[in-house]
Amino acid sequence: MSTKTDELRELFLKLSPVTTFTDRQEAGVGDVPTDEEVDDTLRTLVAEMRERFGLGTPLDDDDLVALVRGFYAGESDATLADRFDVAVETLVDARLSLQLFRPDDADAPFDLRDLLRLVEADADDATCAAELGVSEAVIRRYRRVVAARQTAQRESYYYPLEFESLLDADTDDELSAAREADRELFAEIKD
């Protein structure tokens, strides 16, 4: 108890003929939520994302909540894919749909700014592949990354920030750097 509480208790004991009392405490601002409360809030956020963005994934909302938890716990895509018994590519698509990014998502064999310019010019996969000297499969992969990052940026990274806050995730430096790189990348394309 705090010093003020102790002082008030002593004063009460001096002034009252009652020598015992029960101190009722209510949950206040800043209390740590339970795991169930966190999961409920994560489920609400995931459902909201599904409604807003049409998360095209075979994983249900409970799986997506577990994916968010696993991502912030540092689990790899392969580990998470094994847990949900899906292909790694399916897991990565779900992760990107949730606007959860890993540093290697941007490790393209070409400059992502070039892909972004082509995408904004409405170039199809074949044109992008020819221009950038890679396969269409590689273009599809990085097109998903660019689209997810654009959506996250448009939303001011609302959902990843909410996830981090709920899970008390310690990824501020890495994600802040990624967000700043995204801002620079997209600002450069728009200019």
Side-chain angles (χ1 to χ4, degrees):
M1 286 196 205
S2 72
T3 306
K4 288 285 186 195
T5 305
D6 292 337
E7 290 173 7
L8 287 172
R9 186 151 118 324
E10 286 178 36
L11 180 63
F12 178 78
L13 290 172
K14 286 180 185 175
L15 298 175
S16 173
V18 178
T19 57
T20 62
F21 62 95
T22 302
D23 186 20
R24 303 240 186 258
Q25 295 184 0
E26 294 181 23
V29 175
D31 287 342
V32 177
T34 66
D35 280 344
E36 293 80 24
E37 291 170 330
V38 169
D39 283 347
D40 287 344
T41 304
L42 288 172
R43 205 170 286 106
T44 298
L45 289 168
V46 165
E48 185 178 305
M49 291 182 82
R50 187 178 295 280
E51 184 177 314
R52 289 187 71 197
F53 308 119
L55 307 179
T57 177
L59 299 177
D60 65 22
D61 288 0
D62 288 335
D63 290 340
L64 294 175
V65 166
L67 189 160
V68 170
R69 280 190 170 277
F71 175 83
Y72 284 107
E75 294 180 50
S76 71
D77 290 338
T79 300
L80 291 166
D82 284 345
R83 181 189 310 168
F84 302 120
D85 194 28
V86 296
V88 173
E89 185 174 299
T90 301
L91 187 282
V92 170
D93 284 344
R95 177 174 56 77
L96 291 173
S97 294
L98 293 170
Q99 301 171 15
L100 302 175
F101 306 106
R102 298 196 187 275
D104 63 349
D105 288 335
D107 290 343
F110 50 81
D111 190 333
L112 281 179
R113 288 176 290 221
D114 294 335
L115 176 60
L116 190 53
R117 281 187 194 96
L118 290 165
V119 167
E120 294 212 343
D122 291 326
D124 62 11
D125 290 346
T127 303
C128 292
E131 286 280 329
L132 300 173
V134 295
S135 71
E136 288 184 42
V138 170
I139 292 298
R140 283 190 294 276
R141 175 179 179 217
Y142 288 102
R143 190 184 279 261
R144 287 190 306 268
V145 170
V146 166
R149 286 185 178 254
Q150 284 178 312
T151 301
Q153 186 184 35
R154 233 183 347 266
E155 299 292 322
S156 299
Y157 293 92
Y158 172 78
Y159 292 101
L161 290 170
E162 286 295 308
F163 296 150
E164 289 170 37
S165 175
L166 280 167
L167 298 172
D168 197 25
D170 188 23
T171 56
D172 293 333
D173 292 341
E174 182 178 302
L175 288 177
S176 293
R179 287 183 196 115
E180 185 57 34
D182 285 352
R183 276 191 280 280
E184 290 172 10
L185 173 67
F186 295 121
E188 188 176 307
I189 300 304
K190 302 280 188 223
D191 291 342

